[in-house]
Amino acid sequence: QVQLVESGGGLVQAGGSLRLSCAASGSIFSINDMAWYRQAPGKQREVVATITRSLRTNYADSVKGRFTISRDNAKNTVSLQMNSLKPEETAIYYCNVVAVPVGTTAAFSYWGQGTQVTVSS
């Protein structure tokens, strides 16, 4: 099994910054894509940023230029640096990885428990 543990959420004023981190552990053979999603109250979960194993990144249009996703393949971690935060970005942020567990050849999607980010105006 693969476990994801997120950290770094909290309360920040509009215009401020936060850094989210996610560490994957367990019986991992390899990790393919890693990503951050968010879900605001009453809204559907949406992708914020993704990063491939070769470090190719992709961002939602709403966060381009303000958020930066990064990963450490040796440590199985992914981070999200969020700058110039806006109140409408208040949400639960979720880490997601596509990983191949040890003993299989299939990749599975795993989710973290989520971390609350609150941006006050």
Side-chain angles (χ1 to χ4, degrees):
Q1 269 291 13
V2 176
Q3 296 83 39
L4 302 179
V5 177
E6 298 144 341
S7 60
L11 173 65
V12 66
Q13 288 189 332
S17 298
L18 281 175
R19 184 177 180 85
L20 307 181
S21 295
C22 174
S25 62
S27 300
I28 302 170
F29 177 73
S30 66
I31 296 179
N32 300 334
D33 292 354
M34 306 182 86
W36 288 95
Y37 286 71
R38 65 187 178 192
Q39 187 167 19
K43 295 188 176 182
Q44 289 190 334
R45 191 173 297 188
E46 62 176 359
V47 61
V48 176
T50 63
I51 185 167
T52 67
R53 186 168 182 83
S54 58
L55 307 184
R56 181 181 301 175
T57 60
N58 195 29
Y59 297 92
D61 287 343
S62 60
V63 307
K64 284 180 180 177
R66 299 185 297 117
F67 289 14
T68 302
I69 189 170
S70 60
R71 66 187 281 176
D72 185 328
N73 288 333
K75 298 181 179 179
N76 290 337
T77 60
V78 60
S79 298
L80 184 69
Q81 176 66 42
M82 305 184 293
N83 299 328
S84 302
L85 282 160
K86 305 174 182 180
E88 56 265 35
E89 294 178 312
T90 294
I92 299 175
Y93 284 68
Y94 296 91
C95 173
N96 173 263
V97 304
V98 177
V100 178
V102 171
T104 78
T105 57
F108 299 89
S109 178
Y110 298 91
W111 292 91
Q113 80 284 359
T115 184
Q116 177 70 47
V117 171
T118 302
V119 185
S120 63
S121 56

